[in-house]
Amino acid sequence: MHENSNNAAAYRADDPLLVNSNIFLFDDPDAPELDPYTVLPNGGFRNTTNNTLVNYFMRNTLNYSTRFGDNHQVDVLVGQEVRSSDRTKEYAEGWGGIYLIKEVLC
């Protein structure tokens, strides 16, 4: 999200009239006497998720049966199976990114 988006601005909304009702401001438990303050003074958010799944599956079978004479039978079964999987998942989360002409500086 761009640094000027409403979502990023909500983390910087520290107007004295709103400071105690803004849930996005940090309320320091070690200093309860202080007013909540922003932890995102500049920038926006960058959340990226990349998923990739490559899968191969192949199965071949060959069945052959023959009978010769009254007492002989030949059955042949040939099979092949190939499996493959390649999974990738990447997740990145960044806070305070400054967006410039299609570029992100963090």
Side-chain angles (χ1 to χ4, degrees):
M1 282 177 249
H2 197 272
E3 65 265 16
N4 294 326
S5 69
N6 288 339
N7 197 334
Y11 283 84
R12 290 189 286 275
D14 56 0
D15 183 277
L17 296 174
L18 303 172
V19 73
N20 288 317
S21 61
N22 187 348
I23 62 170
F24 297 114
L25 296 178
F26 179 67
D27 197 6
D28 192 352
D30 295 331
E33 70 281 355
L34 295 177
D35 285 336
Y37 57 91
T38 183
V39 291
L40 185 68
N42 296 312
F45 307 101
R46 181 177 176 117
N47 298 329
T48 304
T49 302
N50 299 323
N51 293 310
T52 303
L53 173 64
V54 178
N55 187 31
Y56 304 103
F57 177 78
M58 179 176 65
R59 178 182 285 187
N60 300 310
T61 58
L62 177 63
N63 191 1
Y64 176 76
S65 179
T66 187
R67 182 176 284 233
F68 54 94
D70 291 336
N71 298 328
H72 302 287
Q73 179 176 344
V74 174
D75 294 318
V76 177
L77 175 64
V78 177
Q80 175 186 26
E81 182 169 332
V82 177
R83 292 178 184 246
S84 178
S85 291
D86 184 9
R87 295 182 177 103
T88 302
K89 180 180 181 180
E90 298 173 18
Y91 176 76
E93 184 175 298
W95 291 60
I98 305 296
Y99 292 75
L100 301 172
I101 310 174
K102 297 182 183 178
E103 218 176 292
V104 178
L105 302 176
C106 291

mmCIF file of all heavy atoms in Angstrom, residues 20-63:
data_model
loop_
_atom_site.group_PDB
_atom_site.id
_atom_site.type_symbol
_atom_site.label_atom_id
_atom_site.label_comp_id
_atom_site.label_asym_id
_atom_site.label_seq_id
_atom_site.Cartn_x
_atom_site.Cartn_y
_atom_site.Cartn_z
ATOM 1 N N ASN A 20 -6.491 8.767 21.503
ATOM 2 C CA ASN A 20 -6.905 7.705 22.428
ATOM 3 C C ASN A 20 -7.912 6.738 21.826
ATOM 4 O O ASN A 20 -8.187 5.693 22.407
ATOM 5 C CB ASN A 20 -7.452 8.309 23.713
ATOM 6 C CG ASN A 20 -6.345 8.914 24.537
ATOM 7 O OD1 ASN A 20 -5.274 8.325 24.684
ATOM 8 N ND2 ASN A 20 -6.570 10.110 25.053
ATOM 9 N N SER A 21 -8.468 7.075 20.670
ATOM 10 C CA SER A 21 -9.430 6.171 20.041
ATOM 11 C C SER A 21 -8.878 5.486 18.794
ATOM 12 O O SER A 21 -9.569 4.677 18.193
ATOM 13 C CB SER A 21 -10.712 6.938 19.688
ATOM 14 O OG SER A 21 -10.424 7.975 18.789
ATOM 15 N N ASN A 22 -7.650 5.785 18.411
ATOM 16 C CA ASN A 22 -7.036 5.172 17.239
ATOM 17 C C ASN A 22 -6.385 3.851 17.645
ATOM 18 O O ASN A 22 -5.385 3.820 18.357
ATOM 19 C CB ASN A 22 -6.013 6.112 16.611
ATOM 20 C CG ASN A 22 -5.487 5.585 15.296
ATOM 21 O OD1 ASN A 22 -5.697 4.432 14.942
ATOM 22 N ND2 ASN A 22 -4.790 6.428 14.566
ATOM 23 N N ILE A 23 -6.949 2.739 17.171
ATOM 24 C CA ILE A 23 -6.428 1.418 17.551
ATOM 25 C C ILE A 23 -5.101 1.075 16.875
ATOM 26 O O ILE A 23 -4.442 0.115 17.263
ATOM 27 C CB ILE A 23 -7.463 0.314 17.238
ATOM 28 C CG1 ILE A 23 -7.753 0.258 15.736
ATOM 29 C CG2 ILE A 23 -8.731 0.522 18.035
ATOM 30 C CD1 ILE A 23 -8.565 -0.943 15.309
ATOM 31 N N PHE A 24 -4.699 1.858 15.867
ATOM 32 C CA PHE A 24 -3.454 1.571 15.142
ATOM 33 C C PHE A 24 -2.233 2.240 15.766
ATOM 34 O O PHE A 24 -1.117 1.991 15.327
ATOM 35 C CB PHE A 24 -3.577 2.000 13.689
ATOM 36 C CG PHE A 24 -4.646 1.251 12.948
ATOM 37 C CD1 PHE A 24 -5.771 1.893 12.493
ATOM 38 C CD2 PHE A 24 -4.532 -0.113 12.732
ATOM 39 C CE1 PHE A 24 -6.760 1.199 11.822
ATOM 40 C CE2 PHE A 24 -5.514 -0.815 12.063
ATOM 41 C CZ PHE A 24 -6.634 -0.156 11.611
ATOM 42 N N LEU A 25 -2.429 3.068 16.754
ATOM 43 C CA LEU A 25 -1.297 3.687 17.437
ATOM 44 C C LEU A 25 -0.799 2.753 18.527
ATOM 45 O O LEU A 25 -1.553 1.974 19.106
ATOM 46 C CB LEU A 25 -1.704 5.030 18.031
ATOM 47 C CG LEU A 25 -2.106 6.103 17.014
ATOM 48 C CD1 LEU A 25 -2.534 7.372 17.727
ATOM 49 C CD2 LEU A 25 -0.989 6.391 16.040
ATOM 50 N N PHE A 26 0.482 2.843 18.824
ATOM 51 C CA PHE A 26 1.100 1.962 19.814
ATOM 52 C C PHE A 26 0.901 2.526 21.205
ATOM 53 O O PHE A 26 1.252 3.669 21.496
ATOM 54 C CB PHE A 26 2.588 1.800 19.512
ATOM 55 C CG PHE A 26 3.295 0.926 20.498
ATOM 56 C CD1 PHE A 26 3.014 -0.428 20.569
ATOM 57 C CD2 PHE A 26 4.239 1.454 21.364
ATOM 58 C CE1 PHE A 26 3.663 -1.243 21.484
ATOM 59 C CE2 PHE A 26 4.894 0.647 22.267
ATOM 60 C CZ PHE A 26 4.607 -0.702 22.329
ATOM 61 N N ASP A 27 0.339 1.708 22.066
ATOM 62 C CA ASP A 27 0.129 2.084 23.469
ATOM 63 C C ASP A 27 1.176 1.332 24.286
ATOM 64 O O ASP A 27 1.062 0.120 24.499
ATOM 65 C CB ASP A 27 -1.285 1.696 23.893
ATOM 66 C CG ASP A 27 -1.708 2.397 25.162
ATOM 67 O OD1 ASP A 27 -0.962 3.264 25.655
ATOM 68 O OD2 ASP A 27 -2.798 2.066 25.664
ATOM 69 N N ASP A 28 2.199 2.039 24.717
ATOM 70 C CA ASP A 28 3.339 1.422 25.392
ATOM 71 C C ASP A 28 2.939 0.906 26.773
ATOM 72 O O ASP A 28 2.591 1.686 27.654
ATOM 73 C CB ASP A 28 4.466 2.445 25.518
ATOM 74 C CG ASP A 28 5.781 1.828 25.945
ATOM 75 O OD1 ASP A 28 5.798 0.632 26.284
ATOM 76 O OD2 ASP A 28 6.794 2.550 25.923
ATOM 77 N N PRO A 29 2.999 -0.416 26.997
ATOM 78 C CA PRO A 29 2.614 -0.952 28.298
ATOM 79 C C PRO A 29 3.610 -0.597 29.410
ATOM 80 O O PRO A 29 3.257 -0.611 30.583
ATOM 81 C CB PRO A 29 2.567 -2.465 28.079
ATOM 82 C CG PRO A 29 3.434 -2.706 26.900
ATOM 83 C CD PRO A 29 3.366 -1.467 26.067
ATOM 84 N N ASP A 30 4.846 -0.250 29.022
ATOM 85 C CA ASP A 30 5.841 0.128 30.023
ATOM 86 C C ASP A 30 5.718 1.583 30.454
ATOM 87 O O ASP A 30 6.327 1.987 31.434
ATOM 88 C CB ASP A 30 7.256 -0.116 29.479
ATOM 89 C CG ASP A 30 7.525 -1.595 29.233
ATOM 90 O OD1 ASP A 30 6.921 -2.424 29.953
ATOM 91 O OD2 ASP A 30 8.307 -1.912 28.328
ATOM 92 N N ALA A 31 4.955 2.368 29.694
ATOM 93 C CA ALA A 31 4.750 3.787 30.027
ATOM 94 C C ALA A 31 3.274 4.137 29.815
ATOM 95 O O ALA A 31 2.929 4.839 28.863
ATOM 96 C CB ALA A 31 5.650 4.664 29.180
ATOM 97 N N PRO A 32 2.383 3.629 30.673
ATOM 98 C CA PRO A 32 0.953 3.852 30.468
ATOM 99 C C PRO A 32 0.532 5.314 30.583
ATOM 100 O O PRO A 32 -0.540 5.683 30.119
ATOM 101 C CB PRO A 32 0.294 3.003 31.553
ATOM 102 C CG PRO A 32 1.349 2.748 32.564
ATOM 103 C CD PRO A 32 2.655 2.835 31.839
ATOM 104 N N GLU A 33 1.366 6.142 31.183
ATOM 105 C CA GLU A 33 1.018 7.566 31.311
ATOM 106 C C GLU A 33 1.179 8.327 29.995
ATOM 107 O O GLU A 33 0.624 9.412 29.823
ATOM 108 C CB GLU A 33 1.866 8.233 32.408
ATOM 109 C CG GLU A 33 3.344 8.406 32.091
ATOM 110 C CD GLU A 33 4.179 7.140 32.276
ATOM 111 O OE1 GLU A 33 3.660 6.119 32.741
ATOM 112 O OE2 GLU A 33 5.376 7.188 31.943
ATOM 113 N N LEU A 34 1.926 7.775 29.042
ATOM 114 C CA LEU A 34 2.114 8.432 27.749
ATOM 115 C C LEU A 34 0.938 8.156 26.830
ATOM 116 O O LEU A 34 0.300 7.102 26.902
ATOM 117 C CB LEU A 34 3.392 7.926 27.078
ATOM 118 C CG LEU A 34 4.711 8.246 27.769
ATOM 119 C CD1 LEU A 34 5.859 7.599 27.009
ATOM 120 C CD2 LEU A 34 4.913 9.745 27.879
ATOM 121 N N ASP A 35 0.654 9.124 25.948
ATOM 122 C CA ASP A 35 -0.371 8.912 24.929
ATOM 123 C C ASP A 35 0.131 7.911 23.898
ATOM 124 O O ASP A 35 1.335 7.801 23.662
ATOM 125 C CB ASP A 35 -0.689 10.236 24.215
ATOM 126 C CG ASP A 35 -1.519 11.173 25.069
ATOM 127 O OD1 ASP A 35 -2.222 10.685 25.977
ATOM 128 O OD2 ASP A 35 -1.465 12.390 24.822
ATOM 129 N N PRO A 36 -0.766 7.173 23.268
ATOM 130 C CA PRO A 36 -0.345 6.281 22.179
ATOM 131 C C PRO A 36 0.349 7.076 21.067
ATOM 132 O O PRO A 36 0.026 8.238 20.833
ATOM 133 C CB PRO A 36 -1.653 5.684 21.684
ATOM 134 C CG PRO A 36 -2.599 5.825 22.812
ATOM 135 C CD PRO A 36 -2.189 7.076 23.527
ATOM 136 N N TYR A 37 1.309 6.428 20.398
ATOM 137 C CA TYR A 37 2.061 7.122 19.353
ATOM 138 C C TYR A 37 2.240 6.218 18.141
ATOM 139 O O TYR A 37 2.064 5.014 18.212
ATOM 140 C CB TYR A 37 3.412 7.618 19.879
ATOM 141 C CG TYR A 37 4.288 6.542 20.462
ATOM 142 C CD1 TYR A 37 5.206 5.873 19.660
ATOM 143 C CD2 TYR A 37 4.203 6.201 21.807
ATOM 144 C CE1 TYR A 37 6.010 4.883 20.186
ATOM 145 C CE2 TYR A 37 5.004 5.217 22.339
ATOM 146 C CZ TYR A 37 5.912 4.560 21.535
ATOM 147 O OH TYR A 37 6.719 3.577 22.056
ATOM 148 N N THR A 38 2.621 6.842 17.046
ATOM 149 C CA THR A 38 2.783 6.107 15.792
ATOM 150 C C THR A 38 4.082 5.319 15.774
ATOM 151 O O THR A 38 5.091 5.751 16.319
ATOM 152 C CB THR A 38 2.724 7.055 14.581
ATOM 153 O OG1 THR A 38 2.811 6.268 13.398
ATOM 154 C CG2 THR A 38 3.854 8.064 14.578
ATOM 155 N N VAL A 39 4.022 4.149 15.148
ATOM 156 C CA VAL A 39 5.233 3.352 14.934
ATOM 157 C C VAL A 39 5.545 3.270 13.444
ATOM 158 O O VAL A 39 6.448 2.564 13.038
ATOM 159 C CB VAL A 39 5.087 1.937 15.534
ATOM 160 C CG1 VAL A 39 5.046 1.986 17.036
ATOM 161 C CG2 VAL A 39 3.879 1.237 14.978
ATOM 162 N N LEU A 40 4.772 4.003 12.643
ATOM 163 C CA LEU A 40 4.978 4.051 11.197
ATOM 164 C C LEU A 40 4.996 5.518 10.766
ATOM 165 O O LEU A 40 4.051 6.018 10.174
ATOM 166 C CB LEU A 40 3.857 3.297 10.471
ATOM 167 C CG LEU A 40 4.000 3.150 8.969
ATOM 168 C CD1 LEU A 40 5.158 2.219 8.629
ATOM 169 C CD2 LEU A 40 2.718 2.618 8.366
ATOM 170 N N PRO A 41 6.086 6.235 11.083
ATOM 171 C CA PRO A 41 6.104 7.660 10.763
ATOM 172 C C PRO A 41 6.159 7.958 9.271
ATOM 173 O O PRO A 41 5.684 8.997 8.822
ATOM 174 C CB PRO A 41 7.363 8.168 11.462
ATOM 175 C CG PRO A 41 8.222 6.969 11.636
ATOM 176 C CD PRO A 41 7.295 5.795 11.748
ATOM 177 N N ASN A 42 6.726 7.065 8.478
ATOM 178 C CA ASN A 42 6.849 7.266 7.035
ATOM 179 C C ASN A 42 6.547 5.959 6.315
ATOM 180 O O ASN A 42 6.708 4.877 6.859
ATOM 181 C CB ASN A 42 8.267 7.699 6.642
ATOM 182 C CG ASN A 42 8.631 9.026 7.229
ATOM 183 O OD1 ASN A 42 7.868 9.974 7.157
ATOM 184 N ND2 ASN A 42 9.801 9.089 7.854
ATOM 185 N N GLY A 43 6.158 6.100 5.059
ATOM 186 C CA GLY A 43 6.023 4.926 4.207
ATOM 187 C C GLY A 43 4.684 4.231 4.316
ATOM 188 O O GLY A 43 3.767 4.676 4.990
ATOM 189 N N GLY A 44 4.612 3.114 3.601
ATOM 190 C CA GLY A 44 3.401 2.317 3.556
ATOM 191 C C GLY A 44 3.721 0.863 3.849
ATOM 192 O O GLY A 44 4.684 0.558 4.541
ATOM 193 N N PHE A 45 2.914 -0.027 3.320
ATOM 194 C CA PHE A 45 3.066 -1.453 3.561
ATOM 195 C C PHE A 45 3.339 -2.169 2.247
ATOM 196 O O PHE A 45 2.822 -1.788 1.215
ATOM 197 C CB PHE A 45 1.789 -2.050 4.158
ATOM 198 C CG PHE A 45 1.315 -1.329 5.372
ATOM 199 C CD1 PHE A 45 0.273 -0.434 5.287
ATOM 200 C CD2 PHE A 45 1.911 -1.544 6.591
ATOM 201 C CE1 PHE A 45 -0.168 0.231 6.406
ATOM 202 C CE2 PHE A 45 1.472 -0.882 7.718
ATOM 203 C CZ PHE A 45 0.422 0.012 7.621
ATOM 204 N N ARG A 46 4.097 -3.211 2.324
ATOM 205 C CA ARG A 46 4.318 -4.057 1.149
ATOM 206 C C ARG A 46 4.162 -5.507 1.578
ATOM 207 O O ARG A 46 4.957 -6.020 2.369
ATOM 208 C CB ARG A 46 5.689 -3.832 0.550
ATOM 209 C CG ARG A 46 5.902 -4.705 -0.680
ATOM 210 C CD ARG A 46 7.223 -4.449 -1.331
ATOM 211 N NE ARG A 46 7.394 -5.363 -2.430
ATOM 212 C CZ ARG A 46 7.498 -4.981 -3.675
ATOM 213 N NH1 ARG A 46 7.427 -3.714 -3.983
ATOM 214 N NH2 ARG A 46 7.674 -5.865 -4.627
ATOM 215 N N ASN A 47 3.137 -6.150 1.067
ATOM 216 C CA ASN A 47 2.893 -7.567 1.321
ATOM 217 C C ASN A 47 2.979 -8.303 -0.008
ATOM 218 O O ASN A 47 2.285 -7.946 -0.950
ATOM 219 C CB ASN A 47 1.523 -7.781 1.945
ATOM 220 C CG ASN A 47 1.399 -7.097 3.283
ATOM 221 O OD1 ASN A 47 2.371 -6.966 3.998
ATOM 222 N ND2 ASN A 47 0.218 -6.648 3.608
ATOM 223 N N THR A 48 3.805 -9.313 -0.065
ATOM 224 C CA THR A 48 4.007 -10.060 -1.296
ATOM 225 C C THR A 48 3.897 -11.552 -1.009
ATOM 226 O O THR A 48 4.501 -12.045 -0.061
ATOM 227 C CB THR A 48 5.398 -9.770 -1.885
ATOM 228 O OG1 THR A 48 5.535 -8.370 -2.066
ATOM 229 C CG2 THR A 48 5.595 -10.463 -3.207
ATOM 230 N N THR A 49 3.123 -12.246 -1.819
ATOM 231 C CA THR A 49 3.016 -13.698 -1.728
ATOM 232 C C THR A 49 3.174 -14.264 -3.131
ATOM 233 O O THR A 49 2.487 -13.838 -4.045
ATOM 234 C CB THR A 49 1.651 -14.127 -1.157
ATOM 235 O OG1 THR A 49 1.490 -13.537 0.125
ATOM 236 C CG2 THR A 49 1.568 -15.626 -1.039
ATOM 237 N N ASN A 50 4.083 -15.188 -3.296
ATOM 238 C CA ASN A 50 4.289 -15.873 -4.573
ATOM 239 C C ASN A 50 4.092 -17.363 -4.353
ATOM 240 O O ASN A 50 4.692 -17.943 -3.460
ATOM 241 C CB ASN A 50 5.707 -15.636 -5.105
ATOM 242 C CG ASN A 50 5.987 -14.187 -5.367
ATOM 243 O OD1 ASN A 50 5.123 -13.466 -5.807
ATOM 244 N ND2 ASN A 50 7.202 -13.761 -5.079
ATOM 245 N N ASN A 51 3.259 -17.977 -5.157
ATOM 246 C CA ASN A 51 3.023 -19.418 -5.090
ATOM 247 C C ASN A 51 3.340 -20.038 -6.440
ATOM 248 O O ASN A 51 2.965 -19.491 -7.467
ATOM 249 C CB ASN A 51 1.565 -19.715 -4.745
ATOM 250 C CG ASN A 51 1.223 -19.288 -3.356
ATOM 251 O OD1 ASN A 51 1.937 -19.615 -2.422
ATOM 252 N ND2 ASN A 51 0.147 -18.547 -3.210
ATOM 253 N N THR A 52 3.994 -21.169 -6.431
ATOM 254 C CA THR A 52 4.297 -21.897 -7.654
ATOM 255 C C THR A 52 4.096 -23.386 -7.388
ATOM 256 O O THR A 52 4.527 -23.891 -6.360
ATOM 257 C CB THR A 52 5.753 -21.662 -8.089
ATOM 258 O OG1 THR A 52 5.968 -20.272 -8.241
ATOM 259 C CG2 THR A 52 6.057 -22.366 -9.390
ATOM 260 N N LEU A 53 3.443 -24.062 -8.293
ATOM 261 C CA LEU A 53 3.291 -25.509 -8.191
ATOM 262 C C LEU A 53 3.485 -26.087 -9.577
ATOM 263 O O LEU A 53 2.800 -25.703 -10.522
ATOM 264 C CB LEU A 53 1.911 -25.894 -7.668
ATOM 265 C CG LEU A 53 1.591 -27.381 -7.676
ATOM 266 C CD1 LEU A 53 2.521 -28.130 -6.740
ATOM 267 C CD2 LEU A 53 0.152 -27.609 -7.299
ATOM 268 N N VAL A 54 4.447 -26.978 -9.710
ATOM 269 C CA VAL A 54 4.697 -27.676 -10.964
ATOM 270 C C VAL A 54 4.512 -29.156 -10.669
ATOM 271 O O VAL A 54 5.089 -29.681 -9.722
ATOM 272 C CB VAL A 54 6.133 -27.412 -11.475
ATOM 273 C CG1 VAL A 54 6.399 -28.185 -12.746
ATOM 274 C CG2 VAL A 54 6.339 -25.929 -11.690
ATOM 275 N N ASN A 55 3.707 -29.833 -11.449
ATOM 276 C CA ASN A 55 3.393 -31.225 -11.176
ATOM 277 C C ASN A 55 3.428 -32.014 -12.482
ATOM 278 O O ASN A 55 2.884 -31.572 -13.489
ATOM 279 C CB ASN A 55 2.003 -31.322 -10.536
ATOM 280 C CG ASN A 55 1.699 -32.708 -10.079
ATOM 281 O OD1 ASN A 55 2.591 -33.451 -9.700
ATOM 282 N ND2 ASN A 55 0.433 -33.081 -10.124
ATOM 283 N N TYR A 56 4.071 -33.160 -12.472
ATOM 284 C CA TYR A 56 4.104 -34.058 -13.626
ATOM 285 C C TYR A 56 3.593 -35.421 -13.163
ATOM 286 O O TYR A 56 3.949 -35.882 -12.075
ATOM 287 C CB TYR A 56 5.519 -34.244 -14.165
ATOM 288 C CG TYR A 56 6.206 -32.971 -14.536
ATOM 289 C CD1 TYR A 56 7.161 -32.419 -13.707
ATOM 290 C CD2 TYR A 56 5.904 -32.324 -15.722
ATOM 291 C CE1 TYR A 56 7.795 -31.244 -14.038
ATOM 292 C CE2 TYR A 56 6.538 -31.150 -16.065
ATOM 293 C CZ TYR A 56 7.478 -30.611 -15.214
ATOM 294 O OH TYR A 56 8.101 -29.452 -15.550
ATOM 295 N N PHE A 57 2.807 -36.059 -13.958
ATOM 296 C CA PHE A 57 2.323 -37.399 -13.636
ATOM 297 C C PHE A 57 2.155 -38.149 -14.937
ATOM 298 O O PHE A 57 1.557 -37.647 -15.877
ATOM 299 C CB PHE A 57 0.995 -37.320 -12.889
ATOM 300 C CG PHE A 57 0.402 -38.657 -12.598
ATOM 301 C CD1 PHE A 57 0.884 -39.415 -11.554
ATOM 302 C CD2 PHE A 57 -0.622 -39.160 -13.376
ATOM 303 C CE1 PHE A 57 0.345 -40.650 -11.275
ATOM 304 C CE2 PHE A 57 -1.171 -40.401 -13.111
ATOM 305 C CZ PHE A 57 -0.682 -41.149 -12.050
ATOM 306 N N MET A 58 2.696 -39.368 -15.017
ATOM 307 C CA MET A 58 2.586 -40.157 -16.225
ATOM 308 C C MET A 58 2.463 -41.617 -15.796
ATOM 309 O O MET A 58 3.173 -42.076 -14.904
ATOM 310 C CB MET A 58 3.830 -39.971 -17.099
ATOM 311 C CG MET A 58 3.800 -40.780 -18.372
ATOM 312 S SD MET A 58 5.207 -40.470 -19.450
ATOM 313 C CE MET A 58 6.563 -41.068 -18.484
ATOM 314 N N ARG A 59 1.555 -42.336 -16.412
ATOM 315 C CA ARG A 59 1.390 -43.760 -16.108
ATOM 316 C C ARG A 59 1.188 -44.503 -17.419
ATOM 317 O O ARG A 59 0.341 -44.131 -18.217
ATOM 318 C CB ARG A 59 0.187 -43.956 -15.209
ATOM 319 C CG ARG A 59 -0.063 -45.409 -14.892
ATOM 320 C CD ARG A 59 -1.281 -45.575 -14.049
ATOM 321 N NE ARG A 59 -0.966 -45.161 -12.698
ATOM 322 C CZ ARG A 59 -1.789 -45.311 -11.668
ATOM 323 N NH1 ARG A 59 -2.977 -45.829 -11.857
ATOM 324 N NH2 ARG A 59 -1.434 -44.922 -10.479
ATOM 325 N N ASN A 60 1.946 -45.540 -17.633
ATOM 326 C CA ASN A 60 1.849 -46.383 -18.820
ATOM 327 C C ASN A 60 1.760 -47.835 -18.379
ATOM 328 O O ASN A 60 2.520 -48.264 -17.505
ATOM 329 C CB ASN A 60 3.076 -46.237 -19.726
ATOM 330 C CG ASN A 60 3.258 -44.829 -20.209
ATOM 331 O OD1 ASN A 60 2.331 -44.236 -20.711
ATOM 332 N ND2 ASN A 60 4.460 -44.295 -20.033
ATOM 333 N N THR A 61 0.886 -48.585 -18.976
ATOM 334 C CA THR A 61 0.835 -50.026 -18.719
ATOM 335 C C THR A 61 0.633 -50.751 -20.038
ATOM 336 O O THR A 61 -0.008 -50.241 -20.957
ATOM 337 C CB THR A 61 -0.313 -50.408 -17.760
ATOM 338 O OG1 THR A 61 -1.543 -49.981 -18.308
ATOM 339 C CG2 THR A 61 -0.106 -49.820 -16.397
ATOM 340 N N LEU A 62 1.199 -51.908 -20.101
ATOM 341 C CA LEU A 62 1.064 -52.767 -21.270
ATOM 342 C C LEU A 62 0.746 -54.161 -20.758
ATOM 343 O O LEU A 62 1.459 -54.709 -19.917
ATOM 344 C CB LEU A 62 2.368 -52.780 -22.080
ATOM 345 C CG LEU A 62 2.413 -53.693 -23.292
ATOM 346 C CD1 LEU A 62 1.387 -53.258 -24.327
ATOM 347 C CD2 LEU A 62 3.810 -53.699 -23.866
ATOM 348 N N ASN A 63 -0.351 -54.716 -21.256
ATOM 349 C CA ASN A 63 -0.793 -56.033 -20.825
ATOM 350 C C ASN A 63 -0.891 -56.925 -22.063
ATOM 351 O O ASN A 63 -1.559 -56.569 -23.034
ATOM 352 C CB ASN A 63 -2.153 -55.913 -20.138
ATOM 353 C CG ASN A 63 -2.552 -57.180 -19.430
ATOM 354 O OD1 ASN A 63 -1.810 -58.147 -19.431
ATOM 355 N ND2 ASN A 63 -3.725 -57.163 -18.842
#
